[in-house]
Amino acid sequence: MSNTPQVPLYYNTTYVFDTNGQLVHIAAYNNMHDNTQVDAAYTTFLKSVFGEPVQHDKFSFDLYSSSDYSKDGEVFTIQNATVGKGIDIVFLGEGFVDTDMAAGGKYETKMKEAADKMFELEPYKSLRDRFNLYGVKVVSPTAEFTEGAAKRINEDYDKAFEYASKYDPQLPTDARMMVVVVYNSDISVGRSYCGMFDNGDFVTFVMDGINNTLIHEACGHGIAKLADEYVEPGYESVTLPDDEKKALINYHNHEWGWFANADYNSTKSTVKWAQLLNDSRYSNDGLGIYEGSYTFGKGVYRPSENSMMRHNIAWFNAASREIIYKAVMTLSEGKNWKYDYEKFYEKEINLRKVTSFPPFSKSTTFTARTFSARAAPRISPLPVTCPFI
């Protein structure tokens, strides 16, 4: 409801508000509970207020079914790059029906809205002119996200790549595919995640509406190959296992330098963001070596207390901004492009003229719904996920 107050929301915890927007009941969840216990507490409360439920026929309704698939696969351009080689991003929709496909209609509007969200924050905002942004129309049989409502992509990576490739009939078979699938819903209908592949491909499924989760998944994981900086519930006291440490080392040594915003090193001279950490010009950026990252509570570290990659907070910390800059410039200028730290800093100076990075505060509390974050080779993708309530 529109007058519901803003309160911290915890994964699997049920909240009941009255018509005045007052919180009247909480069915609390913790790591010792399961969904059955939460549901039982919620049901007990409802019975105390409304009495025993009365038997009635199940609600039923007919789903609208698409009949015109003539625009399925139609390509439209959101923007063309004006600088560099042009980095191709393709937007697809899930749960949009034939009546949404008119020129300038709901489908195109939603894809453009998602594109604008992706480039809302720095440094992407200042680097947007290096991207080609396309949309490909995907006509779903139905629009509702309910049982029995058929969809078109269905979280199928191959199907997403098949649709995305329509934007360029001459696309080389080894082209890097970067795809964002936007669901036709303004509320969560599933957990958003990014499937990342060894060759740099990615598919992000945006199921929570167009919000900062899209930036976290597509811009953080997908394009820049950033690691999650949060700790998964229940892992607060778990030390980074040896096999995960080896995996993180392999990611760091990957051609694209994956997950460089998480490190098992913990000294100012050896941590991945040491150059920034020891640069006095970044002394007010909240940079440090904070234990707890890569979903583990111990033995692995992140660059700042909070950030986009920890709690979907609306900024990227300096270490992540550097990684993003390297990724975008390499994709835009080619592998022969050479990174220069001072040129990056000059770019940061320009960013600071047009934006204000929020203060970093240990006292700020955010509650996240978190999931295991891992990446995998193209042939066997695993999702990197971090949707937030």
mmCIF file of all heavy atoms in Angstrom, residues 315-362:
data_model
loop_
_atom_site.group_PDB
_atom_site.id
_atom_site.type_symbol
_atom_site.label_atom_id
_atom_site.label_comp_id
_atom_site.label_asym_id
_atom_site.label_seq_id
_atom_site.Cartn_x
_atom_site.Cartn_y
_atom_site.Cartn_z
ATOM 1 N N TRP A 315 26.182 3.618 -4.942
ATOM 2 C CA TRP A 315 27.495 4.058 -5.421
ATOM 3 C C TRP A 315 28.410 2.843 -5.509
ATOM 4 O O TRP A 315 28.214 1.831 -4.835
ATOM 5 C CB TRP A 315 28.104 5.124 -4.503
ATOM 6 C CG TRP A 315 28.558 4.631 -3.154
ATOM 7 C CD1 TRP A 315 29.727 3.993 -2.856
ATOM 8 C CD2 TRP A 315 27.849 4.732 -1.914
ATOM 9 N NE1 TRP A 315 29.797 3.688 -1.522
ATOM 10 C CE2 TRP A 315 28.664 4.131 -0.908
ATOM 11 C CE3 TRP A 315 26.623 5.272 -1.547
ATOM 12 C CZ2 TRP A 315 28.263 4.057 0.416
ATOM 13 C CZ3 TRP A 315 26.239 5.190 -0.230
ATOM 14 C CH2 TRP A 315 27.051 4.603 0.734
ATOM 15 N N PHE A 316 29.412 2.948 -6.354
ATOM 16 C CA PHE A 316 30.494 1.973 -6.414
ATOM 17 C C PHE A 316 31.683 2.542 -5.656
ATOM 18 O O PHE A 316 32.029 3.726 -5.827
ATOM 19 C CB PHE A 316 30.920 1.699 -7.861
ATOM 20 C CG PHE A 316 29.932 0.897 -8.653
ATOM 21 C CD1 PHE A 316 29.048 1.526 -9.522
ATOM 22 C CD2 PHE A 316 29.892 -0.485 -8.549
ATOM 23 C CE1 PHE A 316 28.139 0.793 -10.271
ATOM 24 C CE2 PHE A 316 28.979 -1.233 -9.290
ATOM 25 C CZ PHE A 316 28.105 -0.588 -10.150
ATOM 26 N N ASN A 317 32.323 1.742 -4.809
ATOM 27 C CA ASN A 317 33.506 2.248 -4.113
ATOM 28 C C ASN A 317 34.647 2.447 -5.114
ATOM 29 O O ASN A 317 34.573 2.002 -6.268
ATOM 30 C CB ASN A 317 33.919 1.332 -2.957
ATOM 31 C CG ASN A 317 34.175 -0.108 -3.396
ATOM 32 O OD1 ASN A 317 34.809 -0.357 -4.407
ATOM 33 N ND2 ASN A 317 33.689 -1.058 -2.599
ATOM 34 N N ALA A 318 35.707 3.130 -4.686
ATOM 35 C CA ALA A 318 36.784 3.517 -5.602
ATOM 36 C C ALA A 318 37.446 2.309 -6.251
ATOM 37 O O ALA A 318 37.810 2.349 -7.430
ATOM 38 C CB ALA A 318 37.815 4.359 -4.859
ATOM 39 N N ALA A 319 37.623 1.226 -5.494
ATOM 40 C CA ALA A 319 38.237 0.023 -6.068
ATOM 41 C C ALA A 319 37.379 -0.530 -7.196
ATOM 42 O O ALA A 319 37.896 -0.921 -8.258
ATOM 43 C CB ALA A 319 38.447 -1.028 -4.981
ATOM 44 N N SER A 320 36.070 -0.545 -7.003
ATOM 45 C CA SER A 320 35.166 -1.030 -8.049
ATOM 46 C C SER A 320 35.140 -0.072 -9.228
ATOM 47 O O SER A 320 35.078 -0.511 -10.385
ATOM 48 C CB SER A 320 33.753 -1.211 -7.487
ATOM 49 O OG SER A 320 33.710 -2.263 -6.538
ATOM 50 N N ARG A 321 35.204 1.232 -8.960
ATOM 51 C CA ARG A 321 35.207 2.193 -10.069
ATOM 52 C C ARG A 321 36.443 2.002 -10.947
ATOM 53 O O ARG A 321 36.366 2.105 -12.182
ATOM 54 C CB ARG A 321 35.151 3.626 -9.533
ATOM 55 C CG ARG A 321 33.881 3.959 -8.766
ATOM 56 C CD ARG A 321 33.656 5.447 -8.613
ATOM 57 N NE ARG A 321 34.724 6.160 -7.962
ATOM 58 C CZ ARG A 321 34.845 6.346 -6.650
ATOM 59 N NH1 ARG A 321 33.936 5.809 -5.824
ATOM 60 N NH2 ARG A 321 35.839 7.045 -6.137
ATOM 61 N N GLU A 322 37.570 1.716 -10.339
ATOM 62 C CA GLU A 322 38.787 1.474 -11.113
ATOM 63 C C GLU A 322 38.628 0.227 -11.981
ATOM 64 O O GLU A 322 39.008 0.222 -13.157
ATOM 65 C CB GLU A 322 39.994 1.326 -10.184
ATOM 66 C CG GLU A 322 41.302 1.124 -10.942
ATOM 67 C CD GLU A 322 42.488 0.877 -10.018
ATOM 68 O OE1 GLU A 322 42.275 0.296 -8.927
ATOM 69 O OE2 GLU A 322 43.609 1.240 -10.375
ATOM 70 N N ILE A 323 38.066 -0.825 -11.406
ATOM 71 C CA ILE A 323 37.857 -2.068 -12.160
ATOM 72 C C ILE A 323 36.888 -1.834 -13.310
ATOM 73 O O ILE A 323 37.103 -2.316 -14.433
ATOM 74 C CB ILE A 323 37.335 -3.163 -11.216
ATOM 75 C CG1 ILE A 323 38.382 -3.507 -10.159
ATOM 76 C CG2 ILE A 323 36.953 -4.423 -11.998
ATOM 77 C CD1 ILE A 323 37.841 -4.313 -8.994
ATOM 78 N N ILE A 324 35.816 -1.103 -13.048
ATOM 79 C CA ILE A 324 34.846 -0.788 -14.098
ATOM 80 C C ILE A 324 35.514 -0.004 -15.221
ATOM 81 O O ILE A 324 35.325 -0.307 -16.411
ATOM 82 C CB ILE A 324 33.661 0.014 -13.514
ATOM 83 C CG1 ILE A 324 32.838 -0.862 -12.576
ATOM 84 C CG2 ILE A 324 32.784 0.577 -14.629
ATOM 85 C CD1 ILE A 324 31.850 -0.091 -11.717
ATOM 86 N N TYR A 325 36.305 0.992 -14.850
ATOM 87 C CA TYR A 325 37.001 1.815 -15.846
ATOM 88 C C TYR A 325 37.895 0.944 -16.722
ATOM 89 O O TYR A 325 37.887 1.061 -17.951
ATOM 90 C CB TYR A 325 37.819 2.885 -15.121
ATOM 91 C CG TYR A 325 38.708 3.709 -16.027
ATOM 92 C CD1 TYR A 325 38.182 4.710 -16.835
ATOM 93 C CD2 TYR A 325 40.088 3.493 -16.062
ATOM 94 C CE1 TYR A 325 39.002 5.468 -17.656
ATOM 95 C CE2 TYR A 325 40.913 4.247 -16.881
ATOM 96 C CZ TYR A 325 40.365 5.226 -17.674
ATOM 97 O OH TYR A 325 41.178 5.975 -18.494
ATOM 98 N N LYS A 326 38.653 0.052 -16.119
ATOM 99 C CA LYS A 326 39.532 -0.837 -16.879
ATOM 100 C C LYS A 326 38.722 -1.717 -17.837
ATOM 101 O O LYS A 326 39.088 -1.886 -19.001
ATOM 102 C CB LYS A 326 40.340 -1.728 -15.929
ATOM 103 C CG LYS A 326 41.430 -1.028 -15.149
ATOM 104 C CD LYS A 326 42.125 -2.027 -14.221
ATOM 105 C CE LYS A 326 43.228 -1.375 -13.408
ATOM 106 N NZ LYS A 326 43.871 -2.351 -12.488
ATOM 107 N N ALA A 327 37.628 -2.277 -17.327
ATOM 108 C CA ALA A 327 36.814 -3.184 -18.150
ATOM 109 C C ALA A 327 36.219 -2.457 -19.344
ATOM 110 O O ALA A 327 36.293 -2.939 -20.482
ATOM 111 C CB ALA A 327 35.720 -3.804 -17.294
ATOM 112 N N VAL A 328 35.599 -1.308 -19.100
ATOM 113 C CA VAL A 328 34.937 -0.573 -20.178
ATOM 114 C C VAL A 328 35.953 -0.079 -21.202
ATOM 115 O O VAL A 328 35.734 -0.193 -22.421
ATOM 116 C CB VAL A 328 34.112 0.596 -19.613
ATOM 117 C CG1 VAL A 328 33.573 1.469 -20.738
ATOM 118 C CG2 VAL A 328 32.970 0.078 -18.756
ATOM 119 N N MET A 329 37.074 0.455 -20.749
ATOM 120 C CA MET A 329 38.073 0.967 -21.676
ATOM 121 C C MET A 329 38.699 -0.152 -22.504
ATOM 122 O O MET A 329 38.966 0.012 -23.698
ATOM 123 C CB MET A 329 39.152 1.735 -20.916
ATOM 124 C CG MET A 329 38.672 3.020 -20.271
ATOM 125 S SD MET A 329 37.963 4.196 -21.461
ATOM 126 C CE MET A 329 39.441 4.605 -22.425
ATOM 127 N N THR A 330 38.925 -1.313 -21.890
ATOM 128 C CA THR A 330 39.478 -2.441 -22.642
ATOM 129 C C THR A 330 38.496 -2.915 -23.700
ATOM 130 O O THR A 330 38.884 -3.165 -24.856
ATOM 131 C CB THR A 330 39.820 -3.606 -21.696
ATOM 132 O OG1 THR A 330 40.780 -3.171 -20.736
ATOM 133 C CG2 THR A 330 40.402 -4.781 -22.464
ATOM 134 N N LEU A 331 37.219 -3.020 -23.338
ATOM 135 C CA LEU A 331 36.211 -3.440 -24.299
ATOM 136 C C LEU A 331 36.017 -2.401 -25.398
ATOM 137 O O LEU A 331 35.783 -2.751 -26.565
ATOM 138 C CB LEU A 331 34.877 -3.682 -23.584
ATOM 139 C CG LEU A 331 34.808 -4.906 -22.671
ATOM 140 C CD1 LEU A 331 33.549 -4.850 -21.814
ATOM 141 C CD2 LEU A 331 34.832 -6.186 -23.497
ATOM 142 N N SER A 332 36.134 -1.148 -25.037
ATOM 143 C CA SER A 332 35.884 -0.068 -25.987
ATOM 144 C C SER A 332 37.064 0.200 -26.913
ATOM 145 O O SER A 332 36.892 0.492 -28.100
ATOM 146 C CB SER A 332 35.537 1.217 -25.217
ATOM 147 O OG SER A 332 35.354 2.298 -26.100
ATOM 148 N N GLU A 333 38.274 0.099 -26.378
ATOM 149 C CA GLU A 333 39.466 0.451 -27.150
ATOM 150 C C GLU A 333 40.227 -0.775 -27.663
ATOM 151 O O GLU A 333 41.082 -0.644 -28.539
ATOM 152 C CB GLU A 333 40.404 1.302 -26.294
ATOM 153 C CG GLU A 333 39.806 2.627 -25.844
ATOM 154 C CD GLU A 333 39.521 3.561 -27.010
ATOM 155 O OE1 GLU A 333 40.227 3.460 -28.033
ATOM 156 O OE2 GLU A 333 38.584 4.380 -26.900
ATOM 157 N N GLY A 334 39.948 -1.952 -27.107
ATOM 158 C CA GLY A 334 40.647 -3.149 -27.539
ATOM 159 C C GLY A 334 41.736 -3.561 -26.574
ATOM 160 O O GLY A 334 42.151 -2.800 -25.697
ATOM 161 N N LYS A 335 42.224 -4.785 -26.750
ATOM 162 C CA LYS A 335 43.191 -5.345 -25.808
ATOM 163 C C LYS A 335 44.535 -4.637 -25.830
ATOM 164 O O LYS A 335 45.347 -4.803 -24.916
ATOM 165 C CB LYS A 335 43.382 -6.835 -26.081
ATOM 166 C CG LYS A 335 42.159 -7.671 -25.757
ATOM 167 C CD LYS A 335 42.419 -9.139 -25.962
ATOM 168 C CE LYS A 335 41.191 -9.958 -25.619
ATOM 169 N NZ LYS A 335 41.417 -11.418 -25.814
ATOM 170 N N ASN A 336 44.805 -3.861 -26.845
ATOM 171 C CA ASN A 336 46.074 -3.128 -26.901
ATOM 172 C C ASN A 336 46.046 -1.871 -26.040
ATOM 173 O O ASN A 336 47.078 -1.218 -25.870
ATOM 174 C CB ASN A 336 46.410 -2.762 -28.353
ATOM 175 C CG ASN A 336 46.745 -3.980 -29.186
ATOM 176 O OD1 ASN A 336 47.288 -4.968 -28.680
ATOM 177 N ND2 ASN A 336 46.412 -3.930 -30.480
ATOM 178 N N TRP A 337 44.864 -1.532 -25.523
ATOM 179 C CA TRP A 337 44.766 -0.370 -24.640
ATOM 180 C C TRP A 337 45.557 -0.635 -23.369
ATOM 181 O O TRP A 337 45.495 -1.712 -22.790
ATOM 182 C CB TRP A 337 43.303 -0.098 -24.296
ATOM 183 C CG TRP A 337 43.105 1.013 -23.307
ATOM 184 C CD1 TRP A 337 43.156 2.347 -23.554
ATOM 185 C CD2 TRP A 337 42.859 0.873 -21.897
ATOM 186 N NE1 TRP A 337 42.933 3.044 -22.389
ATOM 187 C CE2 TRP A 337 42.758 2.172 -21.366
ATOM 188 C CE3 TRP A 337 42.712 -0.227 -21.053
ATOM 189 C CZ2 TRP A 337 42.505 2.400 -20.016
ATOM 190 C CZ3 TRP A 337 42.465 0.001 -19.714
ATOM 191 C CH2 TRP A 337 42.367 1.300 -19.212
ATOM 192 N N LYS A 338 46.317 0.345 -22.935
ATOM 193 C CA LYS A 338 47.151 0.213 -21.743
ATOM 194 C C LYS A 338 46.599 1.074 -20.610
ATOM 195 O O LYS A 338 46.336 2.262 -20.796
ATOM 196 C CB LYS A 338 48.601 0.621 -22.038
ATOM 197 C CG LYS A 338 49.268 -0.198 -23.134
ATOM 198 C CD LYS A 338 49.376 -1.669 -22.750
ATOM 199 C CE LYS A 338 50.096 -2.477 -23.822
ATOM 200 N NZ LYS A 338 50.135 -3.932 -23.504
ATOM 201 N N TYR A 339 46.460 0.460 -19.467
ATOM 202 C CA TYR A 339 45.949 1.178 -18.307
ATOM 203 C C TYR A 339 47.000 2.116 -17.756
ATOM 204 O O TYR A 339 48.177 1.759 -17.630
ATOM 205 C CB TYR A 339 45.511 0.195 -17.222
ATOM 206 C CG TYR A 339 45.099 0.869 -15.936
ATOM 207 C CD1 TYR A 339 43.934 1.623 -15.874
ATOM 208 C CD2 TYR A 339 45.879 0.757 -14.782
ATOM 209 C CE1 TYR A 339 43.535 2.237 -14.699
ATOM 210 C CE2 TYR A 339 45.491 1.373 -13.601
ATOM 211 C CZ TYR A 339 44.324 2.122 -13.563
ATOM 212 O OH TYR A 339 43.944 2.738 -12.404
ATOM 213 N N ASP A 340 46.572 3.318 -17.403
ATOM 214 C CA ASP A 340 47.438 4.317 -16.783
ATOM 215 C C ASP A 340 46.723 4.837 -15.542
ATOM 216 O O ASP A 340 45.647 5.431 -15.638
ATOM 217 C CB ASP A 340 47.736 5.455 -17.764
ATOM 218 C CG ASP A 340 48.717 6.476 -17.200
ATOM 219 O OD1 ASP A 340 48.381 7.146 -16.203
ATOM 220 O OD2 ASP A 340 49.817 6.617 -17.765
ATOM 221 N N TYR A 341 47.316 4.608 -14.378
ATOM 222 C CA TYR A 341 46.676 4.961 -13.113
ATOM 223 C C TYR A 341 46.358 6.452 -13.029
ATOM 224 O O TYR A 341 45.273 6.841 -12.588
ATOM 225 C CB TYR A 341 47.576 4.564 -11.948
ATOM 226 C CG TYR A 341 47.021 4.908 -10.578
ATOM 227 C CD1 TYR A 341 46.034 4.129 -9.993
ATOM 228 C CD2 TYR A 341 47.494 6.013 -9.878
ATOM 229 C CE1 TYR A 341 45.518 4.438 -8.736
ATOM 230 C CE2 TYR A 341 46.990 6.332 -8.616
ATOM 231 C CZ TYR A 341 46.001 5.547 -8.054
ATOM 232 O OH TYR A 341 45.500 5.860 -6.822
ATOM 233 N N GLU A 342 47.288 7.291 -13.466
ATOM 234 C CA GLU A 342 47.064 8.730 -13.373
ATOM 235 C C GLU A 342 45.960 9.195 -14.313
ATOM 236 O O GLU A 342 45.215 10.121 -13.993
ATOM 237 C CB GLU A 342 48.367 9.502 -13.651
ATOM 238 C CG GLU A 342 49.388 9.393 -12.532
ATOM 239 C CD GLU A 342 48.833 9.872 -11.188
ATOM 240 O OE1 GLU A 342 48.103 10.897 -11.176
ATOM 241 O OE2 GLU A 342 49.108 9.235 -10.162
ATOM 242 N N LYS A 343 45.829 8.540 -15.459
ATOM 243 C CA LYS A 343 44.729 8.892 -16.356
ATOM 244 C C LYS A 343 43.398 8.491 -15.734
ATOM 245 O O LYS A 343 42.400 9.192 -15.898
ATOM 246 C CB LYS A 343 44.918 8.218 -17.708
ATOM 247 C CG LYS A 343 46.031 8.848 -18.545
ATOM 248 C CD LYS A 343 46.100 8.227 -19.934
ATOM 249 C CE LYS A 343 47.190 8.910 -20.757
ATOM 250 N NZ LYS A 343 47.302 8.320 -22.117
ATOM 251 N N PHE A 344 43.410 7.355 -15.032
ATOM 252 C CA PHE A 344 42.199 6.968 -14.305
ATOM 253 C C PHE A 344 41.871 8.021 -13.262
ATOM 254 O O PHE A 344 40.720 8.438 -13.128
ATOM 255 C CB PHE A 344 42.377 5.607 -13.641
ATOM 256 C CG PHE A 344 41.355 5.325 -12.563
ATOM 257 C CD1 PHE A 344 40.031 5.095 -12.890
ATOM 258 C CD2 PHE A 344 41.722 5.320 -11.223
ATOM 259 C CE1 PHE A 344 39.080 4.849 -11.897
ATOM 260 C CE2 PHE A 344 40.789 5.078 -10.226
ATOM 261 C CZ PHE A 344 39.464 4.841 -10.562
ATOM 262 N N TYR A 345 42.877 8.482 -12.523
ATOM 263 C CA TYR A 345 42.620 9.478 -11.494
ATOM 264 C C TYR A 345 42.108 10.782 -12.109
ATOM 265 O O TYR A 345 41.212 11.422 -11.551
ATOM 266 C CB TYR A 345 43.880 9.759 -10.674
ATOM 267 C CG TYR A 345 43.630 10.776 -9.580
ATOM 268 C CD1 TYR A 345 42.877 10.449 -8.461
ATOM 269 C CD2 TYR A 345 44.093 12.089 -9.696
ATOM 270 C CE1 TYR A 345 42.606 11.380 -7.475
ATOM 271 C CE2 TYR A 345 43.830 13.032 -8.717
ATOM 272 C CZ TYR A 345 43.087 12.668 -7.602
ATOM 273 O OH TYR A 345 42.809 13.606 -6.638
ATOM 274 N N GLU A 346 42.655 11.152 -13.263
ATOM 275 C CA GLU A 346 42.157 12.346 -13.942
ATOM 276 C C GLU A 346 40.683 12.189 -14.291
ATOM 277 O O GLU A 346 39.897 13.135 -14.186
ATOM 278 C CB GLU A 346 42.975 12.603 -15.213
ATOM 279 C CG GLU A 346 44.407 13.063 -14.952
ATOM 280 C CD GLU A 346 45.207 13.181 -16.230
ATOM 281 O OE1 GLU A 346 44.603 13.033 -17.324
ATOM 282 O OE2 GLU A 346 46.426 13.389 -16.156
ATOM 283 N N LYS A 347 40.325 10.982 -14.711
ATOM 284 C CA LYS A 347 38.914 10.714 -14.999
ATOM 285 C C LYS A 347 38.090 10.843 -13.722
ATOM 286 O O LYS A 347 36.980 11.400 -13.743
ATOM 287 C CB LYS A 347 38.772 9.298 -15.569
ATOM 288 C CG LYS A 347 37.366 8.928 -16.005
ATOM 289 C CD LYS A 347 36.979 9.658 -17.267
ATOM 290 C CE LYS A 347 35.653 9.161 -17.813
ATOM 291 N NZ LYS A 347 35.211 9.903 -19.007
ATOM 292 N N GLU A 348 38.613 10.365 -12.613
ATOM 293 C CA GLU A 348 37.928 10.482 -11.332
ATOM 294 C C GLU A 348 37.726 11.949 -10.952
ATOM 295 O O GLU A 348 36.674 12.319 -10.423
ATOM 296 C CB GLU A 348 38.748 9.783 -10.238
ATOM 297 C CG GLU A 348 38.718 8.271 -10.293
ATOM 298 C CD GLU A 348 37.514 7.707 -9.573
ATOM 299 O OE1 GLU A 348 37.586 7.530 -8.355
ATOM 300 O OE2 GLU A 348 36.504 7.443 -10.258
ATOM 301 N N ILE A 349 38.724 12.780 -11.210
ATOM 302 C CA ILE A 349 38.589 14.208 -10.914
ATOM 303 C C ILE A 349 37.407 14.777 -11.679
ATOM 304 O O ILE A 349 36.587 15.533 -11.140
ATOM 305 C CB ILE A 349 39.885 14.965 -11.266
ATOM 306 C CG1 ILE A 349 41.026 14.542 -10.339
ATOM 307 C CG2 ILE A 349 39.658 16.471 -11.174
ATOM 308 C CD1 ILE A 349 42.356 15.159 -10.701
ATOM 309 N N ASN A 350 37.300 14.396 -12.960
ATOM 310 C CA ASN A 350 36.186 14.883 -13.772
ATOM 311 C C ASN A 350 34.854 14.375 -13.242
ATOM 312 O O ASN A 350 33.856 15.087 -13.229
ATOM 313 C CB ASN A 350 36.373 14.446 -15.228
ATOM 314 C CG ASN A 350 37.541 15.153 -15.888
ATOM 315 O OD1 ASN A 350 37.875 16.280 -15.530
ATOM 316 N ND2 ASN A 350 38.171 14.493 -16.849
ATOM 317 N N LEU A 351 34.849 13.115 -12.767
ATOM 318 C CA LEU A 351 33.611 12.567 -12.208
ATOM 319 C C LEU A 351 33.180 13.357 -10.988
ATOM 320 O O LEU A 351 32.000 13.621 -10.775
ATOM 321 C CB LEU A 351 33.811 11.099 -11.817
ATOM 322 C CG LEU A 351 34.086 10.088 -12.932
ATOM 323 C CD1 LEU A 351 34.104 8.684 -12.345
ATOM 324 C CD2 LEU A 351 33.045 10.177 -14.020
ATOM 325 N N ARG A 352 34.145 13.735 -10.170
ATOM 326 C CA ARG A 352 33.824 14.433 -8.937
ATOM 327 C C ARG A 352 33.295 15.837 -9.184
ATOM 328 O O ARG A 352 32.712 16.452 -8.298
ATOM 329 C CB ARG A 352 35.048 14.464 -8.022
ATOM 330 C CG ARG A 352 35.387 13.096 -7.462
ATOM 331 C CD ARG A 352 36.769 13.062 -6.816
ATOM 332 N NE ARG A 352 37.139 11.716 -6.474
ATOM 333 C CZ ARG A 352 36.785 11.085 -5.370
ATOM 334 N NH1 ARG A 352 36.030 11.694 -4.486
ATOM 335 N NH2 ARG A 352 37.157 9.854 -5.143
ATOM 336 N N LYS A 353 33.484 16.334 -10.395
ATOM 337 C CA LYS A 353 32.927 17.633 -10.737
ATOM 338 C C LYS A 353 31.432 17.531 -11.034
ATOM 339 O O LYS A 353 30.711 18.518 -10.962
ATOM 340 C CB LYS A 353 33.644 18.208 -11.960
ATOM 341 C CG LYS A 353 35.095 18.610 -11.705
ATOM 342 C CD LYS A 353 35.740 19.120 -12.976
ATOM 343 C CE LYS A 353 37.187 19.510 -12.745
ATOM 344 N NZ LYS A 353 37.864 19.971 -13.988
ATOM 345 N N VAL A 354 30.979 16.307 -11.388
ATOM 346 C CA VAL A 354 29.587 16.150 -11.790
ATOM 347 C C VAL A 354 28.792 15.259 -10.855
ATOM 348 O O VAL A 354 27.606 15.065 -11.040
ATOM 349 C CB VAL A 354 29.499 15.572 -13.221
ATOM 350 C CG1 VAL A 354 30.123 16.524 -14.216
ATOM 351 C CG2 VAL A 354 30.163 14.206 -13.296
ATOM 352 N N THR A 355 29.444 14.713 -9.862
ATOM 353 C CA THR A 355 28.735 13.827 -8.945
ATOM 354 C C THR A 355 29.280 13.984 -7.540
ATOM 355 O O THR A 355 30.379 14.488 -7.347
ATOM 356 C CB THR A 355 28.861 12.350 -9.394
ATOM 357 O OG1 THR A 355 27.960 11.563 -8.619
ATOM 358 C CG2 THR A 355 30.266 11.817 -9.184
ATOM 359 N N SER A 356 28.505 13.562 -6.579
ATOM 360 C CA SER A 356 28.944 13.580 -5.187
ATOM 361 C C SER A 356 28.801 12.175 -4.627
ATOM 362 O O SER A 356 27.699 11.645 -4.557
ATOM 363 C CB SER A 356 28.101 14.560 -4.375
ATOM 364 O OG SER A 356 28.447 14.514 -3.013
ATOM 365 N N PHE A 357 29.916 11.554 -4.269
ATOM 366 C CA PHE A 357 29.854 10.217 -3.706
ATOM 367 C C PHE A 357 29.377 10.315 -2.260
ATOM 368 O O PHE A 357 29.920 11.081 -1.474
ATOM 369 C CB PHE A 357 31.222 9.541 -3.780
ATOM 370 C CG PHE A 357 31.688 9.323 -5.187
ATOM 371 C CD1 PHE A 357 32.744 10.032 -5.704
ATOM 372 C CD2 PHE A 357 31.038 8.410 -6.001
ATOM 373 C CE1 PHE A 357 33.171 9.841 -7.003
ATOM 374 C CE2 PHE A 357 31.460 8.211 -7.304
ATOM 375 C CZ PHE A 357 32.523 8.924 -7.814
ATOM 376 N N PRO A 358 28.358 9.542 -1.888
ATOM 377 C CA PRO A 358 27.808 9.622 -0.534
ATOM 378 C C PRO A 358 28.853 9.226 0.507
ATOM 379 O O PRO A 358 29.803 8.510 0.205
ATOM 380 C CB PRO A 358 26.652 8.612 -0.557
ATOM 381 C CG PRO A 358 26.360 8.398 -2.009
ATOM 382 C CD PRO A 358 27.661 8.570 -2.713
ATOM 383 N N PRO A 359 28.672 9.681 1.726
ATOM 384 C CA PRO A 359 29.607 9.296 2.789
ATOM 385 C C PRO A 359 29.491 7.817 3.123
ATOM 386 O O PRO A 359 28.423 7.227 2.983
ATOM 387 C CB PRO A 359 29.159 10.164 3.977
ATOM 388 C CG PRO A 359 27.714 10.435 3.710
ATOM 389 C CD PRO A 359 27.601 10.556 2.213
ATOM 390 N N PHE A 360 30.588 7.236 3.549
ATOM 391 C CA PHE A 360 30.608 5.836 3.949
ATOM 392 C C PHE A 360 30.435 5.790 5.468
ATOM 393 O O PHE A 360 31.195 6.413 6.193
ATOM 394 C CB PHE A 360 31.930 5.179 3.552
ATOM 395 C CG PHE A 360 32.105 5.090 2.066
ATOM 396 C CD1 PHE A 360 32.487 6.185 1.315
ATOM 397 C CD2 PHE A 360 31.869 3.893 1.407
ATOM 398 C CE1 PHE A 360 32.639 6.089 -0.056
ATOM 399 C CE2 PHE A 360 32.027 3.789 0.036
ATOM 400 C CZ PHE A 360 32.415 4.891 -0.703
ATOM 401 N N SER A 361 29.445 5.065 5.928
ATOM 402 C CA SER A 361 29.147 5.078 7.351
ATOM 403 C C SER A 361 28.998 3.668 7.899
ATOM 404 O O SER A 361 28.258 2.855 7.354
ATOM 405 C CB SER A 361 27.846 5.858 7.614
ATOM 406 O OG SER A 361 27.440 5.716 8.939
ATOM 407 N N LYS A 362 29.716 3.358 8.956
ATOM 408 C CA LYS A 362 29.576 2.048 9.599
ATOM 409 C C LYS A 362 28.249 1.923 10.324
ATOM 410 O O LYS A 362 27.775 0.832 10.573
ATOM 411 C CB LYS A 362 30.711 1.833 10.597
ATOM 412 C CG LYS A 362 32.068 1.583 9.959
ATOM 413 C CD LYS A 362 33.093 1.223 11.008
ATOM 414 C CE LYS A 362 34.442 0.905 10.396
ATOM 415 N NZ LYS A 362 35.440 0.515 11.411
#
